[in-house]
Amino acid sequence: MTELFAETQDGVALAERDSLRRLGMMVFLASEAMLFAGMFTLYAAGRIRHPQAFADGVDHNLRWVGTANTYVLLTSSWCIAMAVVRLRSGSRRSALLLVSATMLLGLLFLGLKGYEYQWHLAEGDGPMAVARHDPGIALFMGLYWLMTGTHALHVIAGLIFLGYVAWRVAYRQANDRLLEVAAWYWHLVDLIWVFIWPLFYLLGRVSR
Amino acid sequence: MTPPAQDSTAGAKSYLVAETTWSSWLMTSDHKRIGIMFLAATFLAMLLGGVVALILRIEHLTPHHTVVDAMTYNRLFTLHGVIMVWLFMIPAIPAGLGNFLLPLMLGARDVAFPRLNLLSFYVYLLGAGITLSAMLMGGTDTGWTFYTPYSATSPTAVAPVVAGVFVLGISSIMSGINFIVTTHALRPRGMGWFDMPLFVWGIYATSIIQVVATPVLGLSLALVVLDHSFSWGIFDPARGGDPVLFEHLFWFYSHPAVYIMILPAMGVISEVVCTFSRKNPLSYKAIAYSSLGIALVGFLTWGHHLFVAGQSAYASGAFGIISELVAVFSAIKVVTWLGTMYRGSIAFTTPMAYVFIFLFLFVFGGMTGVAQAAMSLDVHWHDTYFIVAHFHFIMVGGTLTGLIAGLHYWLPKITGRLPNERVGLIAAALVLMGFVITFVPQFLLGNAGMPRRYYDYPVRFQALNVISTVGSWLLSSGILLAFGSLLHAAFRGPRAGSNPWGSRSFEWRTASPPITANFERPLDLVPGAYDYSVVNPHD
């Protein structure tokens, strides 16, 4: 029997399974990137058509929340990157602490996001009320709910994924490779936010 | 329901009889069984879409009301398009035949993520269920392209149809990721990229499109639902949106999607041509690279659907020129297949007959595509039956004939039994005749100005419409005969032996049907997949 047939439960050799996961995640991230690329295209088209309305929409948004969330996510990215490094060097305990920190920061992000959503809803600007705005603003608010909402769903998915991996790491069923793959996903979600931040919170008409 | 195992492999049973319970099929992670389930599901979808097509053709026997009213007609042509594109043609060859064959051709035990593979099948079923449930809600009347702003305001069941297609897209992405990783990572030591069977290149190129383009479709469909259900107006000019933007996003996926349909069929043709010419391909790399070329260039051609949508003439010109490049890659393939046959030892079997049909229909349909990609001509033909005839020549004439060729060719691999040659050839002749009689009149109708998707037409168009309808009966009887013969052979056909066609390709170097683990011994890569210059030690 050669190594090709050295089977695990899935019929794939263990060493091979790590590289399959890494490649699979890479390809999946390409797919995710295209999803958001389509949304950024919509934003660009809308902004070219309605520059004033989009600038007004940005100015009306809660800049401090978007900015705080950027710092929160970037810090979480640092945590998860360090977690991979720590797990690789064998310190499972500090790796798990760092993953927990990442997840807490992710929850903090969602909390701030929820506060912001609540603020919009209190103003009567919820996703169901997009149609009541003037044309350009309606497009801006539609894209706001679409892009930040889709991103928030990805943060939630990332938290579930990280939680699962942390559980596997804690019970010694996973190695640093699996955590690394989860970290890649988390980094992509953070990276997308880095582009959402200026488009919805910074590029307004006035500079404050 | 399962034929007995071949006795050529010591002890191990074939995947068909290794386990026989229902749950051993429904909960399997075996790529071969999942492939068969995909084939069965897509076959049922094809039957349903075909019945709808027949009703549409019967309606056009007379200029006005024949069997259905106008509103029903609109819902039926939408249903036909949605079923045939998303439930049948996109998954049929990649997720059906591709699933079955990819690991076998690579000497692997299974695909990279077997459980994801099964999940992909159930997500497909879920998407199909949601889409078809819309039939019970009265269906929708937007056409399979869901153009805004009409799709955002249509009072019909737009949301479930669109949501169903969204879910089908997730299944498509899952399969694509699986196949890309399988091709990269599960080749055995010693098998380089240019040692793989050519079908793998077709599936690989297809998978790239599925992974990269499908998310954009999902996005545009989600926005249609939001526009329709909550009046967001992203694509509604009255609310500041842009309806043409939907066309851009939709065709960014849906134009490459036609290559999702044709590239796997081209892969089938490459395999069949080499096996039945008993010869290596004229140029392996030409076929492999042109698959990638079509996949990549296919991403830059979507604007040729927008020639009359207010797109700038400059953009249209650029999109037209890039679109012509697809014809260059396609021509490279056709020439290479013909060159492969040249001085080969050709066996005129049923799969080979479909290769000839494919070549005729694909070249004919492809040439009309070259003409349409020219802006000046397309303005005349846009939204007429000329377009309908063109894409049926490529999709039915290309994908469906490729699928039937592949099913005849790999039936012994899948079931261990041989198809009936005589019935197969008669069915092939019917398919060719029926196809030409159905769709050549539609070219003439379109050129004469008959628009697509219209319930009524002027009386002067009736003769050609009647010919087309009669052709559709011939075509459907040919397809039914072909599939009926295949189904019969799958259960009752004569035993095939492990390699009935004497092919050198890797999937034939194990028992037919294969054991659950695919290979008893690691795949022997000598001689190469197309090396007919030596006696095959595996025969």
Side-chain angles (χ1 to χ4, degrees):
Chain A
M1 287 287 162
T2 68
E3 67 194 73
L4 176 68
F5 286 81
E7 290 167 14
T8 64
Q9 255 181 323
D10 288 327
V12 178
L14 261 178
E16 210 174 356
R17 202 158 68 173
D18 282 334
S19 73
L20 293 184
R21 280 184 181 143
R22 289 155 68 96
L23 187 56
M25 180 53 77
M26 278 284 187
V27 178
F28 176 62
L29 293 186
S31 194
E32 291 279 58
M34 286 306 293
L35 175 68
F36 282 95
M39 295 186 209
F40 287 122
T41 306
L42 281 169
Y43 183 95
R47 181 124 198 169
I48 288 166
R49 183 174 279 234
H50 306 282
Q52 300 303 332
F54 270 56
D56 288 343
V58 169
D59 283 338
H60 183 68
N61 239 340
L62 291 179
R63 181 171 291 179
W64 73 268
V65 176
T67 306
N69 262 341
T70 307
Y71 285 102
V72 168
L73 278 190
L74 287 179
T75 313
S76 77
S77 252
W78 179 84
C79 288
I80 196 68
M82 286 311 291
V84 176
V85 172
R86 286 298 162 88
L87 189 60
R88 197 169 287 159
S89 63
S91 42
R92 184 185 311 272
R93 197 182 155 76
S94 74
L96 280 172
L97 276 173
L98 282 161
V99 176
S100 310
T102 309
M103 293 178 66
L104 283 175
L105 288 166
L107 287 172
L108 177 60
F109 173 90
L110 288 177
L112 283 166
K113 192 91 257 175
Y115 169 78
E116 185 186 317
Y117 281 173
Q118 191 57 46
W119 180 77
H120 281 296
L121 287 170
E123 292 207 324
D125 287 345
M128 307 297 181
V130 166
R132 77 175 177 83
H133 294 287
D134 292 339
I137 293 284
L139 192 59
F140 178 83
M141 285 311 290
L143 288 173
Y144 166 79
W145 287 108
L146 176 78
M147 293 173 76
T148 60
T150 311
H151 179 265
L153 288 177
H154 280 73
V155 171
I156 293 169
L159 285 174
I160 294 170
F161 190 17
L162 282 179
Y164 167 75
V165 173
W167 177 74
R168 298 264 312 243
V169 169
Y171 288 91
R172 293 177 165 75
Q173 289 170 339
N175 56 13
D176 58 291
R177 297 297 182 82
L178 184 64
L179 185 63
E180 188 183 16
V181 164
W184 286 354
Y185 183 80
W186 192 256
H187 289 317
L188 182 87
V189 174
D190 292 356
L191 186 64
I192 288 165
W193 179 262
V194 170
F195 288 93
I196 290 178
W197 175 45
L199 295 181
F200 286 101
Y201 301 92
L202 300 184
L203 293 170
R205 209 199 294 235
V206 291
S207 53
R208 276 180 291 189
Chain B
M1 63 174 283
T2 48
Q6 289 290 304
D7 52 10
S8 56
T9 50
K13 287 178 170 176
S14 94
Y15 76 101
L16 288 169
V17 294
E19 288 175 286
T20 52
T21 58
W22 277 96
S23 66
S24 76
W25 279 86
L26 297 178
M27 300 307 292
T28 185
S29 60
D30 182 350
H31 68 98
K32 299 183 287 299
R33 290 187 165 198
I34 295 168
I36 286 180
M37 293 195 290
F38 261 117
L39 282 175
T42 51
F43 171 66
L44 292 177
M46 185 202 71
L47 286 185
L48 186 59
V51 168
V52 175
L54 286 173
I55 298 173
L56 292 171
R57 280 316 318 164
I58 289 169
E59 173 51 41
H60 275 332
L61 272 176
T62 65
H64 307 297
H65 181 274
T66 313
V67 284
V68 295
D69 61 40
M71 194 60 191
T72 311
Y73 177 83
N74 290 352
R75 293 171 186 205
L76 285 177
F77 75 63
T78 303
L79 189 63
H80 170 71
V82 167
I83 289 177
M84 286 305 205
V85 170
W86 279 297
L87 294 183
F88 171 55
M89 278 192 297
I90 286 178
I93 302 186
L97 283 176
N99 228 327
F100 194 99
L101 292 164
L102 198 59
L104 286 169
M105 287 179 162
L106 298 175
R109 190 196 188 283
D110 209 317
V111 292
F113 308 110
R115 283 174 297 191
L116 182 70
N117 203 16
L118 183 67
L119 182 63
S120 168
F121 176 68
Y122 284 111
V123 172
Y124 168 85
L125 285 190
L126 177 69
I130 296 172
T131 304
L132 295 178
S133 70
M135 278 174 77
L136 304 176
M137 304 175 207
T140 186
D141 61 350
T142 59
W144 74 277
T145 48
F146 309 119
Y147 268 20
T148 52
Y150 180 64
S151 61
T153 52
S154 167
T156 55
V158 175
V161 175
V162 168
V165 173
F166 182 94
V167 174
L168 289 167
I170 296 173
S171 162
S172 192
I173 293 174
M174 286 176 177
S175 291
I177 292 174
N178 224 334
F179 294 165
I180 289 176
V181 177
T182 304
T183 309
H184 272 275
L186 293 189
R187 280 174 290 127
R189 203 154 288 167
M191 188 194 285
W193 280 87
F194 297 104
D195 301 322
M196 303 189 305
L198 286 162
F199 181 72
V200 178
W201 279 97
I203 295 293
Y204 180 75
T206 304
S207 302
I208 292 175
I209 304 174
Q210 285 178 305
V211 167
V212 179
T214 313
V216 181
L217 173 78
L219 170 66
S220 47
L221 294 182
L223 288 169
V224 168
V225 173
L226 290 168
D227 267 18
H228 186 264
S229 303
F230 306 120
S231 304
W232 270 25
I234 300 259
F235 300 126
D236 182 354
R239 295 202 186 86
D242 183 355
V244 179
L245 198 52
F246 172 81
E247 295 181 32
H248 279 291
L249 290 177
F250 180 82
W251 288 112
F252 180 83
Y253 166 80
S254 293
H255 195 77
V258 306
Y259 304 123
I260 295 179
M261 302 174 207
I262 196 71
L263 281 168
M266 289 169 156
V268 173
I269 301 301
S270 301
E271 295 297 325
V272 173
V273 161
C274 293
T275 293
F276 292 110
S277 304
R278 296 193 68 76
K279 208 164 145 281
N280 59 321
L282 178 67
S283 167
Y284 179 99
K285 288 192 174 177
I287 294 182
Y289 281 134
S290 59
S291 293
L292 288 184
I294 289 175
L296 298 180
V297 169
F299 277 107
L300 306 171
T301 64
W302 78 89
H304 66 221
H305 295 268
L306 287 80
F307 284 167
V308 299
Q311 180 177 249
S312 79
Y314 181 76
S316 294
F319 278 122
I321 290 166
I322 297 170
S323 302
E324 308 287 14
L325 275 179
V326 176
V328 175
F329 289 122
S330 303
I332 288 172
K333 280 188 184 293
V334 170
V335 169
T336 313
W337 291 324
L338 293 176
T340 304
M341 289 183 222
Y342 180 64
R343 291 191 169 173
S345 173
I346 297 175
F348 194 75
T349 53
T350 309
M352 201 61 178
Y354 280 102
V355 168
F356 292 120
I357 296 175
F358 176 96
L359 286 174
F360 172 67
L361 299 180
F362 178 71
V363 171
F364 194 115
M367 292 309 287
T368 62
V370 170
Q372 277 167 207
M375 214 190 329
S376 50
L377 292 169
D378 183 71
V379 169
H380 175 58
W381 288 323
H382 195 92
D383 264 341
T384 69
Y385 258 85
F386 195 92
I387 304 291
V388 174
H390 160 71
F391 69 68
H392 280 88
F393 257 75
I394 302 292
M395 291 184 186
V396 186
T399 310
L400 187 66
T401 56
L403 175 67
I404 301 178
L407 287 174
H408 279 88
Y409 175 59
W410 283 300
L411 186 76
K413 187 80 248 166
I414 297 170
T415 65
R417 291 171 188 269
L418 284 167
N420 185 315
E421 278 299 314
R422 180 175 304 194
V423 180
L425 287 173
I426 292 171
L430 273 173
V431 167
L432 176 61
M433 281 193 301
F435 188 85
V436 170
I437 296 170
T438 307
F439 291 106
V440 168
Q442 295 188 8
F443 276 123
L444 304 175
L445 284 168
N447 197 43
M450 179 168 162
R452 65 191 284 205
R453 293 175 171 170
Y454 272 47
Y455 178 65
D456 281 344
Y457 57 82
V459 180
R460 66 194 156 95
F461 290 146
Q462 189 172 11
L464 285 170
N465 267 302
V466 170
I467 295 172
S468 177
T469 301
V470 173
S472 73
W473 299 338
L474 269 182
L475 175 59
S476 49
S477 54
I479 291 171
L480 278 182
L481 186 62
F483 278 96
S485 154
L486 282 168
L487 276 175
H488 181 264
F491 295 104
R492 297 271 178 273
R495 293 285 153 69
S498 63
N499 186 5
W501 314 122
S503 173
R504 294 290 190 271
S505 193
F506 297 140
E507 76 274 20
W508 297 102
R509 291 183 192 177
T510 182
S512 303
I515 59 171
T516 303
N518 287 350
F519 294 90
E520 285 270 290
R521 293 172 301 279
L523 172 65
D524 185 1
L525 297 171
V526 180
Y530 300 104
D531 187 357
Y532 289 89
S533 62
V534 294
V535 173
N536 190 356
H538 305 285
D539 279 346

